Amino acid sequence: MNKIFGVLLLVLLIATIVGMVIKNDAYWGIYNYVTLILSAVIGISLLKQK
């Protein structure tokens, strides 16, 4: 499970770099929602682990 979380964080890192390059407001709007959803899912999953 930790490998999946690591991959998701690397994907967010790449998405952040892409956003910095293209500088598009619509991109950042979508990115913000995706980040919120992923953060919630990963946080809940980590809290449920023993």
Side-chain angles (χ1 to χ4, degrees):
M1 195 57 120
N2 287 337
K3 288 182 181 182
I4 293 171
F5 295 154
V7 169
L8 288 174
L9 289 173
L10 288 174
V11 168
L12 282 177
L13 170 71
I14 293 168
T16 302
I17 293 169
V18 169
M20 290 176 163
V21 171
I22 63 173
K23 298 178 184 176
N24 184 342
D25 287 337
Y27 177 86
W28 286 111
I30 295 169
Y31 174 85
N32 288 337
Y33 285 111
V34 170
T35 302
L36 288 172
I37 292 167
L38 284 178
S39 296
V41 169
I42 291 172
I44 290 168
S45 298
L46 287 173
L47 288 172
K48 287 185 178 183
Q49 284 184 356
K50 289 186 177 180

